[in-house]
Amino acid sequence: MARKKKKNYFFENIEVIDAGARGKSVAKTDEGQVIFLTNAIPGDIVDIETGRKRKSYFEGKAIKFHKLSERRTEPVCEYFGTCGGCKWQHMKYESQLFFKEKEVIQNLKRIGHLELPEITPILACKEQYYYRNKMEFSFSSKRWLTYDEIKSDEIINDTNACGFHIAGMWDKILDIDQCHLQEEPSNAIRNFVKDFCIENEISFYNPREQSGMVRTMMIRIASTGEIMVVLQFFVEDVEKREKLLQAIAAKFPEITSLQYIINSKGNDSIYDQDIILFKGNDHIFEQMEGLKFKINAKSFYQTNSKQAYELYKITRDFAALTGDELVYDLYTGTGTIAQFVAKKAKKVVGVESVPEAIADAKQNAKNNNIDNTEFFVGDMAKVFTKEFIDKNGRPDVIITDPPREGMHKKVVEQILNIAPQRIVYVSCNSATQARDLEILDAKYKIIKTQAVDMFPQTHHVENVVLLEKR
Ligand code: SAH
């Protein structure tokens, strides 16, 4: 029963029953009302404190644990719970997989009202840590203080931080000494840069006051072994910048691309900024099954390279190409899927809204000696018209890999107009995928659906669906 105290509600002895969207877990009150929890996992039995009731649910926290779930495991990271990055580190990997697959199936059924074939089990990721090829760290002179620090009477002098944004706090950075998501020398580089800046009085950015010098750092470690480091400064100070970059280059000779940006705008985005080369090349290469992909500071590339290979193989298998097909690769990014399937197709047409990505796609196809791909820039809803199809041909197979929002309704309708024999829908958000599939259901039957875990320790899950014309 809920007891009201101030604005909060209390619920006692509640079993957590499910894992829900955005990494939260789900419990139900005795009256059957849903409570979303941030700090418990399915199988825990807990007392819960919640805030005011939202439309039809509560959001709260477990305040007492009566029984801990058998699905629990010890989180590897000391920042777990504070850092918002890996929400599920306290859940055994097989349970993470179970709930990811369950979410996908539930979304397809409940949102899409779809009839599903036998489900192919979710593909686990071999590496459950150290799987990311790219990390972005932020510097701040406003470190996020730990609870113990705030409680203690000690005067805190060291407020510099290099690490991750605290969820929901645009100006607070959690200082990180070791992150378990990217291989070394990722931690070594970050910690060296942080210490060097402090020792040499290179000030940390303060987003509130719009002051300070060192702002963000991106580290990319490619499957080829090449390493790219891009430092972003808020202001130019030639002497200090040179000193820092030279020190990084001397300490880490394995860095093959060392670049920087002077960004005095209010936000951290690098996409409208000039990237300046300090040492090495302005790019690194990723490789996949004999293909090479040139990656510059602004290029998009799947952040889990090994699992991207698995995802692409499933996509190619589902497409079941014989060599005669005209394939469209919608939301092609840097054209990776297009190039990955090109050998098995007559021709592949890729479409994508980011011009730089399409420039990379063309360059990569050329470097890879692929001559049966064509790439076009534009917003899908505007580009993917009847004229476009008339000009480039009616596809036999469409592969589509949209962003989290899914496809624009016009794009889905256009796919229905074109009515290719097969559609392979790759999605990083099964809720929007389900919404789109419900519309496609008018002409298409789901033949296979396969979830793929690209991001262990997080709630994110990728899903690939094969559709055949009815
Ligand atoms: N298939 C690629 C990229 C998928 S990510 C890969 O595997 O690497 C989704 C892509 O959709 C991004 O590259 C993004 O820039 C692009 N995108 C987002 N909105 C778009 C739109 N309205 N029109 C065209 N492309 C869009």
Side-chain angles (χ1 to χ4, degrees), residues 172-205:
K172 291 283 191 295
I173 299 295
L174 175 68
D175 190 53
I176 298 281
D177 192 52
Q178 199 190 0
C179 173
H180 301 265
L181 291 185
Q182 189 176 36
E183 279 177 79
E184 290 301 333
S186 175
N187 287 304
I189 294 172
R190 189 197 54 251
N191 292 341
F192 173 80
V193 171
K194 184 191 161 197
D195 292 345
F196 189 91
C197 288
I198 292 172
E199 278 157 27
N200 292 277
E201 293 180 346
I202 298 174
S203 56
F204 287 40
Y205 181 55

Side-chain angles (χ1 to χ4, degrees), residues 300 302 312 331-333 336-337 351-354 378-380 401-403:
F300 173 85
Q302 295 278 353
Y312 290 175
Y331 310 89
T332 191
T336 36
I337 295 179
V351 186
E352 156 67 41
S353 60
V354 176
D379 178 355
M380 200 66 64
D401 182 11

Side-chain angles (χ1 to χ4, degrees), residues 135-375:
M135 295 298 283
E136 286 160 298
F137 303 106
S138 296
F139 295 83
S140 170
S141 60
K142 291 273 172 258
R143 183 164 62 85
W144 177 255
L145 302 175
T146 62
Y147 184 61
D148 289 342
E149 282 177 308
I150 295 167
K151 259 196 333 192
S152 82
D153 297 333
E154 256 175 67
I155 295 166
I156 295 160
N157 293 317
D158 169 23
T159 61
N160 286 326
C162 178
F164 301 119
H165 280 274
I166 293 278
M169 305 261 176
W170 63 279
D171 63 334
K172 291 283 191 295
I173 299 295
L174 175 68
D175 190 53
I176 298 281
D177 192 52
Q178 199 190 0
C179 173
H180 301 265
L181 291 185
Q182 189 176 36
E183 279 177 79
E184 290 301 333
S186 175
N187 287 304
I189 294 172
R190 189 197 54 251
N191 292 341
F192 173 80
V193 171
K194 184 191 161 197
D195 292 345
F196 189 91
C197 288
I198 292 172
E199 278 157 27
N200 292 277
E201 293 180 346
I202 298 174
S203 56
F204 287 40
Y205 181 55
N206 181 329
R208 237 172 233 284
E209 290 171 7
Q210 292 282 298
S211 63
M213 183 170 170
V214 62
R215 187 166 183 170
T216 67
M217 177 165 57
M218 174 168 76
I219 302 179
R220 282 182 129 147
I221 303 179
S223 52
T224 50
E226 291 179 309
I227 300 175
M228 175 186 284
V229 175
V230 183
L231 266 150
Q232 183 176 199
F233 300 98
F234 180 59
V235 288
E236 170 70 309
D237 178 329
V238 179
E239 200 180 312
K240 284 186 172 168
R241 175 181 53 71
E242 289 276 317
K243 196 171 171 187
L244 172 61
L245 292 171
Q246 268 160 15
I248 298 170
K251 176 82 182 173
F252 300 99
E254 62 269 48
I255 296 173
T256 55
S257 168
L258 182 55
Q259 305 185 81
Y260 68 96
I261 301 163
I262 311 291
N263 172 8
S264 305
K265 290 183 299 169
N267 67 58
D268 286 346
S269 168
I270 67 167
Y271 292 94
D272 52 356
Q273 299 292 302
D274 289 332
I275 318 277
I276 307 161
L277 182 63
F278 180 78
K279 192 193 155 202
N281 302 316
D282 67 353
H283 60 269
I284 52 177
F285 282 100
E286 279 287 353
Q287 64 186 6
M288 191 185 275
E289 205 178 67
L291 298 172
K292 277 194 154 193
F293 299 105
K294 188 178 171 188
I295 312 287
N296 62 46
K298 293 180 187 175
S299 302
F300 173 85
Y301 192 77
Q302 295 278 353
T303 44
N304 181 341
S305 311
K306 284 189 190 154
Q307 201 68 344
Y309 180 39
E310 301 302 323
L311 179 76
Y312 290 175
K313 278 193 285 188
I314 291 168
T315 305
R316 188 173 59 191
D317 285 353
F318 280 15
L321 304 173
T322 62
D324 292 333
E325 295 85 355
L326 173 61
V327 180
Y328 275 30
D329 179 28
L330 307 183
Y331 310 89
T332 191
T334 45
T336 36
I337 295 179
Q339 291 170 66
F340 194 74
V341 305
K343 243 193 272 169
K344 296 206 159 185
K346 189 159 85 192
K347 186 177 159 190
V348 190
V349 173
V351 186
E352 156 67 41
S353 60
V354 176
E356 289 86 357
I358 286 297
D360 285 350
K362 287 180 179 168
Q363 172 87 49
N364 282 326
K366 210 169 166 190
N367 294 349
N368 286 321
N369 297 317
I370 294 173
D371 55 13
N372 62 337
T373 51
E374 266 199 86
F375 294 102

Side-chain angles (χ1 to χ4, degrees), residues 439-462:
I439 307 173
L440 292 169
D441 193 57
K443 281 193 190 163
Y444 287 88
K445 184 174 165 26
I446 298 182
I447 304 297
K448 286 186 209 167
T449 164
Q450 162 93 66
V452 179
D453 186 24
M454 306 277 283
F455 304 108
Q457 319 308 336
T458 78
H459 59 285
H460 295 290
V461 57
E462 209 85 6

Side-chain angles (χ1 to χ4, degrees), residues 24-56:
K24 294 189 177 171
S25 58
V26 183
K28 276 192 180 163
T29 68
D30 294 341
E31 289 90 34
Q33 291 160 318
V34 170
I35 313 173
F36 289 110
L37 297 166
T38 50
N39 63 338
I41 70 169
D44 287 343
I45 296 179
V46 295
D47 292 347
I48 299 169
E49 179 175 3
T50 72
R52 217 158 13 93
K53 193 179 173 196
R54 310 287 178 105
K55 276 179 213 143
S56 59

